[in-house]
Amino acid sequence: MAAQQIEKSSFPPLFDVGAVWRTLWQRRLTVLASVGVAVLLAIAYLAVTKPTYTATASILIDPRDARSTRFESVLPGIGPDSAAVASQVFVIESRDLLMAVFESEDLADDPEFTDGGLLSFLGSDGAGKDTAFKRFEKRVSVERAGLTYVIEVSMKSESADKAARIANAIVDYYKAGLAGDRENANSDVSALLADRVGSLQKNVAEAERATGDFKVRHGLLDAAAGGTLQSQIDQVTVQVIAARAGADQAKDKYDQALAAGASPAGLARLSQIVSSDSIDTLRTDYNQRAAALASAETVYQSRHPTIRRLRSELEKTAGLMGAEAGRIKQELNAKYDLSMQTVAALEAKLETLRETSRTADAARVELRRLEATAQAARTVLDDVLKRAEETSQMRGLQLSEAKVIGFAAPPVQPTWPTPLLLLPVSAALGLLVGAGIAVARGPVERGERDPGPDPDEAAITPLASRRVPARSEVVPISLGRYELPGLASAGASSRIRAMRRRFLQRGGEAFSQETLKLVRRILALLTEHAPPYVLLVSPLRNAPDAKLAGAMIGIGLQQAGQNVLVVELSSAPRPDQPDAAPELGAGVFINGASGLPTLVRAFDGGKGRREPFVLGAGLADAGDYDFVLLLGPSLADADWDAALFPDVERLLFVLDAADDVAEANGLLHQRLGNEGAARSATLVLDAERAAGAANDSVVRWRRSAR
């Protein structure tokens, strides 16, 4: 849409501060009334609201655990963990702790917590201990001071002393609860350990008894009590070795005796093996008789009786020697057999002891298990007895890690309500609400009674030139007063060129802003539809004023990126063709002064007759433009009629600075009536004053724009 395109492409901001300010100024009574009502409500609230005092106590959760002994605490401190410290906030806010304070301070009958206020009048249940406790709970605030170990406990109450007393009571109950938890933990552990001591002692006795019975049953004696099975095995092993050695020795002697035979020479060897007196005697007797025989044989013949007697005695001695050798062999054989029997018996005993040892090894495994069980039971009993004694001695020695670093004191000033905060805030809210209502209602219509002068209109038209219209009259909208560059005595083309230069040259921003502001005001009067938008610009009396105003509006629209066509309506027909079609010039041309596309059309059909200007019939290519500005005849012309411009959407009438506004409004109402005046607007053109005055005008218009 054209209006939207102008807003997007124009230099001023989209939000028209000047229009809002004018609306607020026109509706200032509404704004002031809203502020007054808000302040009165705040004062009434201050009058009826009871003051609330807040008392705060500070607790330090010291993570360091003071130790008076080397004993390990049953219940250790909270510790340095941040989450553990933060959880203490919920401990203090717990229902059990707050209920204990609520009951100890006898707050169930306190009117501050039992009075339901407005709720009691509305019929809701405002009584009861639970309801009073909920109100009390809402007054308590527990917060951790940042990431520190400090917890702040606050209490709100209508009494400063009561707020401090309750805050300190909450802190005291919390500290007592921490100490009580430790003492209760010590007591519970001591009782539990005392119950366990009896059962542990019984377990130790049963384990030791089972160990002893097992030793006796399996013959597992201690070395100090008479030897063990292994020592017996060692002894029998030594005996077996000795028996085997004796048997081997007896066997050797027997074999040697068999090898020696029964001859005297054998007996000589046998005497080396066995020490025997009989053999030695027989061998001596044999040697003597042999010597006697040999001696006798040298004397006597072989048949001599002495020789025979000696031989007989020698043979008898040899027989006795053989018999003795046989007896010795039998004795050696018997000793050998006895040694072998001893070896067999000892080996059997040794095997029995070894079998018993193998059985005892398995029994020792079980014995070690029983001994380990007994030792473990004994160790646990010792630990429990030691811990029970430590726990009993820890009572009263553990210090609380919660320290009060700031007791709650009765506050001097109430925390709510605070007049220094409430009154300015209420005034600000009233101002915002009043401004919102004023903006929502919009600017004051001309049909309404204006409570005071608009600051822009006051600068546009002097109060002396105003007249108060009748209540039934519709006053045309005033678009303001504008000072155009150039000399007032110069022609219209010269002033238009000066105006265009002011647009383009540096330092003309103020004039450009005011021109574009005029364009936005005109667009605000239009209804959105497909282009082109047709505007009629007519002077009140001075015909050049229409060209000046049309050029100003056209240049402003062109600077905003709109396609503008200026149509100059001429009343003079061509003298050479009085009956020709109402057309002057060859077509659309660029005006050298304004730089705008311009078309000249004859408005008078000839022979004193004026026909309505129809856009479609009068201008075939009008659809190529966004805006068409018709520069019409003067309103003071007797033949001026609004019916001649059926396609015009808005009628813009240009006044000179010397024109009386009241007179001009009366003339407009006379020519147009209420219906025509409702779609009309006026603007005043004046020559630019001196530099100082011009600067004052620029400042005034900038202030109006804000």
Side-chain angles (χ1 to χ4, degrees):
M1 297 298 178
Q4 296 175 350
Q5 294 172 358
I6 289 293
E7 292 293 331
K8 293 179 181 178
S9 58
S10 59
F11 294 106
L14 295 178
F15 182 71
D16 193 351
V17 180
V20 174
W21 169 249
R22 285 193 302 276
T23 301
L24 294 177
W25 179 259
Q26 293 172 355
R27 302 289 185 182
R28 61 184 178 276
L29 293 181
T30 301
V31 176
L32 294 176
S34 176
V35 173
V37 170
V39 173
L40 290 177
L41 290 177
I43 295 174
Y45 178 78
L46 292 173
V48 301
T49 303
K50 296 180 180 180
T52 301
Y53 297 88
T54 301
T56 302
S58 300
I59 306 174
L60 173 63
I61 305 298
D62 194 349
R64 299 170 297 178
D65 192 7
R67 292 186 178 271
S68 55
T69 64
R70 293 184 179 181
F71 301 154
E72 184 180 355
S73 302
V74 174
L75 184 64
I78 296 173
D81 188 7
S82 179
V85 177
S87 64
Q88 298 305 305
V89 174
F90 297 94
V91 173
I92 300 175
E93 291 180 332
S94 63
R95 180 181 177 85
D96 293 340
L97 191 148
L98 295 182
M99 180 60 75
V101 177
F102 182 78
E103 293 176 350
S104 65
E105 297 294 328
D106 196 17
L107 300 179
D109 299 328
D110 194 329
E112 182 179 352
F113 303 104
T114 57
D115 187 9
L118 183 59
L119 296 178
S120 60
F121 295 100
L122 297 178
S124 61
D125 186 10
K129 182 178 179 180
D130 292 339
T131 305
F133 176 74
K134 290 180 180 179
R135 296 195 184 104
F136 163 73
E137 193 175 17
K138 292 180 180 179
R139 300 289 184 90
V140 179
S141 175
V142 183
E143 295 180 354
R144 181 184 179 188
L147 297 179
T148 64
Y149 295 97
V150 178
I151 297 178
E152 295 181 348
V153 181
S154 302
M155 175 63 193
K156 295 181 181 179
S157 176
E158 298 175 357
S159 172
D161 295 334
K162 185 193 299 183
R165 186 181 73 253
I166 295 176
N168 291 326
I170 294 174
V171 171
D172 293 339
Y173 266 86
Y174 172 67
K175 289 185 60 182
L178 290 180
D181 291 341
R182 290 194 168 188
E183 293 299 327
N184 293 335
N186 288 336
S187 300
D188 295 341
V189 171
S190 297
L192 180 61
L193 293 176
D195 293 339
R196 289 294 181 90
V197 166
S199 61
L200 290 175
Q201 289 176 343
K202 182 179 179 180
N203 293 338
V204 171
E206 291 179 353
E208 291 180 347
R209 189 182 304 111
T211 302
D213 293 343
F214 188 83
K215 285 182 178 181
V216 173
R217 187 167 59 252
H218 292 82
L220 302 175
L221 303 178
D222 295 336
T228 61
L229 184 60
Q230 184 62 38
S231 64
Q232 295 178 10
I233 292 175
D234 294 341
Q235 292 175 3
V236 173
T237 302
V238 172
Q239 293 174 5
V240 169
I241 294 173
R244 285 179 178 174
D248 293 340
Q249 186 177 6
K251 180 71 168 56
D252 292 340
K253 288 181 178 182
Y254 176 71
D255 292 340
Q256 289 177 5
L258 290 178
S263 62
L267 289 177
R269 291 193 300 270
L270 186 61
S271 62
Q272 296 176 357
I273 300 172
V274 179
S275 177
S276 176
D277 294 338
S278 299
I279 293 178
D280 292 340
T281 301
L282 290 174
R283 190 162 53 83
T284 302
D285 186 40
Y286 180 81
N287 291 333
Q288 290 176 359
R289 291 182 184 279
L293 178 61
S295 177
E297 286 180 350
T298 60
V299 177
Y300 302 104
Q301 292 293 325
S302 58
R303 296 184 178 183
H304 189 275
T306 303
I307 295 300
R308 291 182 177 180
R309 180 181 58 82
L310 289 175
R311 287 181 176 177
S312 176
E313 290 178 356
L314 185 60
E315 292 177 357
K316 184 178 180 180
T317 302
L320 292 174
M321 291 178 64
E324 183 64 21
R327 186 189 64 80
I328 290 174
K329 292 178 181 178
Q330 291 179 355
E331 183 180 357
L332 291 175
N333 188 22
K335 287 183 178 180
Y336 172 71
D337 293 339
L338 182 59
S339 298
M340 292 303 296
Q341 291 177 2
T342 302
V343 170
L346 290 175
E347 288 180 349
K349 184 178 180 180
L350 180 60
E351 185 63 26
T352 301
L353 290 176
R354 288 176 176 174
E355 184 65 25
T356 303
S357 177
R358 286 191 290 270
T359 304
D361 289 339
R364 286 191 188 91
V365 174
E366 182 65 19
L367 177 62
R368 285 193 293 271
R369 186 186 66 79
L370 294 175
E371 290 176 345
T373 302
Q375 182 63 30
R378 193 179 301 108
T379 303
V380 172
L381 177 60
D382 294 340
D383 291 342
V384 170
L385 290 174
K386 180 181 177 181
R387 187 57 176 167
E389 183 63 22
E390 291 178 355
T391 304
S392 63
Q393 296 298 327
M394 285 293 293
R395 295 180 181 177
L397 295 180
Q398 291 181 282
L399 301 178
S400 176
E401 61 271 24
K403 300 178 182 179
V404 180
I405 59 176
F407 289 95
V412 179
Q413 297 293 335
T415 55
W416 186 262
T418 53
L420 295 179
L421 174 64
L422 192 59
L423 291 177
V425 170
S426 62
L429 291 177
L431 181 63
L432 292 177
V433 173
I437 295 174
V439 172
R441 293 181 62 186
V444 177
E445 297 293 339
R446 296 306 177 185
E448 301 181 21
R449 182 176 296 275
D450 195 350
D454 189 305
D456 285 344
E457 293 182 359
I460 295 172
T461 307
L463 293 175
S465 63
R466 288 178 172 271
R467 73 177 181 89
V468 179
R471 294 183 60 88
S472 59
E473 289 187 21
V474 177
V475 179
I477 297 174
S478 176
L479 298 179
R481 176 177 176 175
Y482 301 90
E483 296 179 355
L484 301 183
L487 299 176
S489 59
S493 298
S494 177
R495 298 185 66 182
I496 291 174
R497 287 189 178 91
M499 185 191 313
R500 187 180 177 190
R501 285 194 301 271
R502 181 65 59 86
F503 262 107
L504 300 177
Q505 71 183 5
R506 188 174 182 180
E509 291 81 2
F511 179 71
S512 300
Q513 294 283 343
E514 295 304 324
T515 303
L516 293 173
K517 183 178 178 181
L518 171 63
V519 170
R520 287 203 310 274
R521 289 179 178 176
I522 295 173
L523 293 178
L525 305 176
L526 302 178
T527 302
E528 293 289 340
H529 59 77
Y533 295 87
V534 182
L535 303 177
L536 176 66
V537 182
S538 291
L540 183 64
R541 292 186 180 84
N542 190 8
D545 289 343
K547 293 185 178 181
L548 294 175
M552 181 180 181
I553 297 172
I555 293 174
L557 290 172
Q558 189 181 59
Q559 291 295 321
Q562 304 298 308
N563 293 326
V564 183
L565 175 65
V566 178
V567 179
E568 296 182 5
L569 300 179
S570 175
S571 303
R574 297 177 62 177
D576 55 346
Q577 296 178 354
D579 297 331
E583 178 179 357
L584 298 178
V588 178
F589 63 94
I590 302 300
N591 192 300
S594 64
L596 299 174
T598 307
L599 181 66
V600 179
R601 283 287 184 266
F603 184 54
D604 193 341
K607 300 180 181 180
R609 168 168 56 92
R610 288 188 175 180
E611 297 180 356
F613 180 82
V614 180
L615 186 62
L619 184 60
D621 55 351
D624 297 337
Y625 299 94
D626 298 318
F627 290 88
V628 176
L629 301 180
L630 300 180
L631 305 184
S634 173
L635 183 64
D637 192 343
D639 297 332
W640 197 96
D641 188 0
L644 298 175
F645 312 101
D647 294 334
V648 173
E649 187 170 350
R650 281 287 175 176
L651 306 175
L652 305 180
F653 296 99
V654 186
L655 280 66
D656 191 80
D659 293 335
D660 185 83
V661 176
E663 180 182 354
N665 290 339
L667 180 60
L668 287 173
H669 192 270
Q670 178 182 359
R671 288 294 185 93
L672 304 176
N674 285 339
E675 182 179 357
R679 64 189 188 100
S680 301
T682 62
L683 68 153
V684 179
L685 297 183
D686 193 4
E688 190 175 35
R689 290 175 288 176
N695 291 337
D696 293 340
S697 175
V698 171
V699 172
R700 182 176 69 251
W701 279 111
R702 285 184 176 177
R703 187 182 302 112
S704 174
R706 294 193 186 94

